[in-house]
Amino acid sequence: MSSPSTRVEREVTVPNKQGLHARPVLRFVDLASKFDSSIRVCKRDTAVDGKSPMEMMLLEATQGTVLKIVAEGADCEKAVTELSRLVSDGFGEE
Amino acid sequence: MPLMRGIGVSSGVVLGPAIVLETEETRVPRRTIQRAQIPHEMGLLAKAFESARIAIGQERVEFSHRAGTELADIFGFHERWLADPKPLKEIEQLIDEKLYSAAYAVSVFMRRYRRRFQEMASPFLQERAKDVVDIERRLLHELSGESRDELQGEGDPVIIVAHDLTPSQIVALDKSKRLLGFVTDVGGPTSHTAIIAAGLGIPAIVGLGNITANASSGDTLILDGTHGVVVINPDTTQKKEYAERAVHLQEVRANLAELREMFAETKDGYIVQLLGNIEFPDEVPGCIAQGATGIGLFRTEFLFMQDSGPPSEEQQYEAYKTAAEALADRPLVIRTMDVGGDKLMPGGTWEPEKNPFLGLRSIRYSLQHLSIFRPQLRAIVRASVHGDVRIMFPLISRIMELRQAKFVLNLVKEELEEEGFDFKSDIPVGVMIETPAAAICARELAHECNFMSIGTNDLIQYTLAVDRANERVAQLYTAADPSVLRLIRAVVRVGQRQKVPVSVCGEMAGDPMFTIWLVGMGLQTLSMAASNIPRAKKIIRSITMTDARRVARRVLSFETEREVLNFLRDETRKVWGDI
């Protein structure tokens, strides 16, 4: 386990009022797609592909929902850091 | 080369490419494909995703200029969604495994996808569902090839295939100059769709059941409105037959066109006025082109049945004025709105009725809703300075209704006079004879009006107690029933004795089978769909009044509608071979 970590996960709370609607999903997916790592976003027992707008829309996340972002791959550390910052900043929305 | 039968409501034969209109109300029809077609449908699907994405991209750029980034973001999301390989893959799976057509697969996938949102508890899910619906519409739009809007542009003439069409839709399609004809899943011979198609002279078939499921955009169709038959992707033999019929019909039409400037005059010199029936003022020039010497029935309720809600007094005034001016002093009979029954106004307050045709409809509705009736009368009276405007009240069944309607009319005139409007003080007032009650008491009505017009559609259904829209009894609905013919005779006689003009303005007036009979009965005015005028004129010009009177007398001696029809068919064939 001394090799650089290839899997990172972090929990983050959705702060914005309207939750994960079209525009935040767009922001998230755009950012996630910049990384080589695979990105999964989990809420309790559901997990969706963080690069798929179709699947991300199915994530029922409103204000206060706790999401777990899981990244696997070479740039997973950076991916999780940036993605969780995007979420906790409220996707740049109110 | 499947062949489908429906109800031909407007005659003529055309061949052309189909465009299937996917209305928002209609689900995409379930359509399956042959295994060999899978690659083709996959190709269509991929192309639809691609072109929808490009179209949205262009609109996104446009919107960011016009409406800021917020809307552009929404479109950006749609764009990204369409670029996501996952939905495409899942839809491809439906095509591959279930053999769904691309369009149907899209709609199935989207329906399931939307259902996931509906299962969510959050109040924001509605918004998401809306976004998704928009994407679905884009994809289906791409798959259907063209849309209503694009018909406004240049292009080849097409046959429109739709679940149903509204009157205003048909008029809009017709304006595009690209409408060869149309076919619909629903509708009957007396539906508004049918009436308007006949008015515009566009070949049309309604009541095909599921033509939208069987024809696809781009298919070649032969539409035979005369016989109510549609052929999808005809073979060579069928195409050849079509070409022969088309040439024949063209010859017949050319012969009829020569009649345009001639009177509808019998060989022994009796002249019959042939007028047009319209729903919108734009139809007037078309009527005149067919040889109409005026408008005998302006069905104003169609102005009220637009999606935009009931028209204001000003809008109505403009419509009536436009029609009156286009007629240049030819008569314009404006019928006050005939709503209720099967014609409901959008946005109106309607209590469900057990028997709408015996309920609050037509003049009864108007008299109970003066806030709608008065502006209409004001608009008509004001338009009277622009031509030979006449007012007609529909569905009068008792003398008191005529008196009340005239009372309101007089009030309105007084108002307008006080307000300083110009109008003709002696606008003729007519009564539609559409109920047995009115026919039986025509003498009393004739005393208090300037003209009478027999509306045969309603007169037949009320006399025979048959709902023409109920297919289980529709075959009992016929103008040829002796009871109907005798009621018409009674009204015509009253008119002759009281010197009150009588006309006929129902579909019977335009049916070539009855032309000789009606003329022989002494009717001097017939009002019909414009496309029927040349044919009626041709028949009238081929007969003498002496013969027509003989036919009329003979017909009234028959006991059954079958004898009537057989006899009239034979008599009509003598002068008009192709009926």
Side-chain angles (χ1 to χ4, degrees):
Chain A
M1 296 298 274
S2 58
S3 63
S5 145
T6 55
R7 185 176 189 279
V8 172
E9 59 175 70
R10 195 168 303 165
E11 287 197 345
V12 61
T13 307
V14 176
N16 60 315
K17 241 190 204 150
Q18 302 209 2
L20 212 54
H21 63 93
R23 199 153 9 132
V25 165
L26 175 64
R27 297 269 147 76
F28 190 95
V29 167
D30 273 344
L31 182 57
S33 303
K34 287 188 181 132
F35 303 105
D36 294 329
S37 299
S38 70
I39 314 282
R40 300 203 68 73
V41 183
C42 316
K43 181 200 159 195
R44 279 188 231 114
D45 51 349
T46 38
V48 299
D49 182 347
K51 296 182 184 180
S52 163
M54 179 200 105
E55 291 194 0
M56 281 293 289
M57 279 291 266
L58 289 172
L59 207 58
E60 192 182 358
T62 50
Q63 195 171 26
T65 301
V66 178
L67 298 176
K68 187 164 74 182
I69 301 170
V70 185
E72 264 180 279
D75 53 3
C76 60
E77 186 66 55
K78 195 166 180 266
V80 166
T81 308
E82 289 191 23
L83 286 169
S84 36
R85 192 188 303 137
L86 176 73
V87 177
S88 54
D89 284 353
F91 307 93
E93 304 208 316
E94 292 291 293
Chain B
M1 66 212 111
L3 192 141
M4 294 185 68
R5 276 176 204 285
I7 306 160
V9 290
S10 183
S11 59
V13 186
V14 287
L15 179 147
I19 284 188
V20 182
L21 287 190
E22 312 278 9
T23 53
E24 282 168 45
E25 304 80 58
T26 31
R27 285 241 189 98
V28 177
R30 185 193 175 104
R31 208 172 145 238
T32 50
I33 53 169
Q34 301 293 316
R35 190 146 281 285
Q37 285 175 281
I38 291 175
H40 175 68
E41 294 293 309
M42 297 267 198
L44 289 180
L45 182 71
K47 220 176 109 208
F49 265 81
E50 176 73 12
S51 11
R53 206 167 49 76
I54 292 169
I56 293 169
Q58 285 163 351
E59 281 175 33
R60 181 172 53 79
V61 173
E62 210 176 297
F63 264 102
S64 59
H65 291 312
R66 283 174 25 205
T69 54
E70 194 129 352
L71 264 167
D73 270 356
I74 301 298
F75 282 171
F77 171 75
H78 292 172
E79 228 180 316
R80 285 291 276 114
W81 195 97
L82 287 163
D84 186 351
K86 293 209 167 169
L88 184 63
K89 209 191 249 164
E90 287 196 31
I91 298 169
E92 279 175 348
Q93 222 168 353
L94 286 173
I95 297 176
D96 190 43
E97 287 168 11
K98 307 260 175 150
L99 295 175
Y100 290 159
S101 70
Y104 187 61
V106 165
S107 77
V108 166
F109 172 80
M110 288 307 228
R111 194 154 63 229
R112 289 182 192 162
Y113 190 53
R114 277 204 310 270
R115 201 171 296 148
R116 302 275 296 271
F117 299 135
Q118 279 151 16
E119 285 161 4
M120 295 177 184
S122 135
F124 297 109
L125 54 89
Q126 289 296 342
E127 283 308 305
R128 293 192 208 180
K130 248 189 248 164
D131 278 320
V132 174
V133 168
D134 222 25
I135 295 171
E136 177 179 7
R137 206 179 289 148
R138 296 256 188 193
L139 284 174
L140 291 176
H141 165 94
E142 293 298 335
L143 285 169
S144 70
E146 271 181 81
S147 80
R148 241 169 279 160
D149 305 341
E150 281 164 71
L151 272 193
Q152 305 302 329
E154 299 282 308
D156 291 333
V158 294
I159 295 172
I160 294 292
V161 179
H163 181 67
D164 198 4
L165 290 169
T166 66
S168 47
Q169 266 180 311
I170 298 168
V171 171
L173 287 166
D174 182 57
K175 274 188 194 150
S176 74
K177 304 282 175 222
R178 291 181 53 198
L179 185 61
L180 281 175
F182 64 83
V183 291
T184 62
D185 289 340
V186 297
T190 51
S191 65
H192 311 129
T193 321
I195 290 168
I196 291 180
L200 294 170
I202 303 166
I205 303 174
V206 301
L208 281 156
N210 56 348
I211 182 79
T212 47
N214 288 286
S216 311
S217 292
D219 283 352
T220 300
L221 302 185
I222 291 177
L223 187 175
D224 180 347
T226 315
H227 297 97
V229 175
V230 184
V231 185
I232 302 167
N233 293 326
D235 59 29
T236 354
T237 324
Q238 287 167 323
K239 278 189 185 163
K240 205 172 142 234
E241 276 171 20
Y242 156 77
E244 283 163 8
R245 295 213 39 218
V247 169
H248 173 69
L249 275 174
Q250 228 162 22
E251 284 169 5
V252 172
R253 286 220 171 137
N255 287 337
L256 292 176
E258 288 170 15
L259 296 171
R260 191 174 303 157
E261 303 299 324
M262 299 180 191
F263 286 120
E265 183 181 6
T266 64
K267 285 187 193 165
D268 44 358
Y270 288 85
I271 290 178
V272 180
Q273 296 298 327
L274 300 182
L275 310 180
N277 294 348
I278 61 167
E279 291 76 34
F280 297 100
D282 329 1
E283 294 171 67
V284 171
C287 287
I288 295 174
Q290 297 275 19
T293 52
I295 298 301
L297 179 62
F298 185 165
R299 299 182 164 101
T300 57
E301 59 275 11
F302 286 87
L303 300 173
F304 289 81
M305 287 159 63
Q306 307 280 28
D307 295 335
S308 44
S312 65
E313 176 185 330
E314 253 352 271
Q315 286 167 325
Q316 289 186 65
Y317 166 71
E318 285 302 324
Y320 306 147
K321 179 185 163 199
T322 306
E325 286 180 343
L327 281 161
D329 283 324
R330 296 180 185 91
L332 170 65
V333 179
I334 302 179
R335 176 177 72 182
T336 62
M337 58 168 187
D338 181 19
V339 294
D342 61 344
K343 290 183 281 201
L344 299 184
M345 266 192 294
T349 47
W350 298 96
E351 301 277 335
E353 296 181 308
K354 263 193 184 157
N355 278 313
F357 279 103
L358 304 183
L360 185 64
R361 60 171 295 214
S362 207
I363 193 71
R364 302 171 186 172
Y365 183 89
S366 296
L367 290 172
Q368 285 193 27
H369 294 80
L370 293 182
S371 60
I372 299 175
F373 193 38
R374 283 170 65 148
Q376 173 163 45
L377 290 176
R378 282 175 62 99
I380 298 172
V381 171
R382 285 173 56 198
S384 67
V385 292
H386 301 291
D388 181 0
V389 171
R390 307 171 189 189
I391 298 179
M392 181 158 73
F393 297 121
L395 205 77
I396 295 287
S397 53
R398 33 209 307 260
I399 188 96
M400 283 310 292
E401 283 168 340
L402 173 60
R403 289 182 186 159
Q404 284 167 13
K406 283 174 72 178
F407 179 75
V408 179
L409 176 64
N410 285 331
L411 277 183
V412 159
K413 284 186 184 171
E414 281 171 25
E415 258 171 36
L416 288 170
E417 191 160 8
E418 277 169 27
E419 292 168 33
F421 281 103
D422 243 5
F423 59 88
K424 284 189 188 154
S425 53
D426 56 347
I427 303 169
V429 172
V431 166
M432 277 193 87
I433 306 292
E434 296 177 279
T435 62
I440 292 163
C441 293
R443 193 161 64 100
E444 287 72 17
L445 293 171
H447 282 311
E448 301 188 25
C449 70
N450 306 105
F451 63 95
M452 298 190 288
S453 189
I454 304 172
T456 50
N457 298 5
D458 275 330
L459 185 63
I460 296 165
Q461 80 158 342
Y462 290 129
T463 303
L464 302 177
V466 171
D467 177 359
R468 57 195 181 182
N470 179 344
E471 69 252 17
R472 292 151 83 186
V473 292
Q475 79 281 0
L476 301 175
Y477 177 95
T478 169
D481 193 278
S483 59
V484 174
L485 302 177
R486 284 175 210 176
L487 281 178
I488 294 174
R489 175 178 60 182
V491 177
V492 172
R493 282 192 177 160
V494 165
Q496 286 164 342
R497 284 198 202 115
Q498 315 263 331
K499 306 264 181 295
V500 172
V502 177
S503 61
V504 173
C505 67
E507 264 140 68
M508 187 186 191
D511 186 340
M513 285 274 279
F514 293 100
T515 311
I516 302 175
W517 185 76
L518 291 168
V519 171
M521 282 304 299
L523 283 152
Q524 289 164 6
T525 306
L526 301 177
S527 192
M528 61 191 74
S531 56
N532 289 329
I533 290 177
R535 190 170 55 189
K537 195 183 272 188
K538 168 88 177 157
I539 294 171
I540 292 167
R541 291 181 60 86
S542 314
I543 57 174
T544 63
M545 191 52 116
T546 321
D547 281 343
R549 285 195 182 122
R550 177 186 54 79
V551 168
R553 268 196 306 274
R554 185 77 197 281
V555 162
L556 283 163
S557 72
F558 293 131
E559 290 172 0
T560 65
E561 121 261 353
R562 179 160 300 189
E563 291 166 279
V564 170
L565 287 174
N566 287 341
F567 179 70
L568 284 178
R569 189 175 294 119
D570 289 345
E571 289 296 319
T572 310
R573 279 220 175 105
K574 287 182 195 164
V575 296
W576 176 261
D578 191 28
I579 65 166

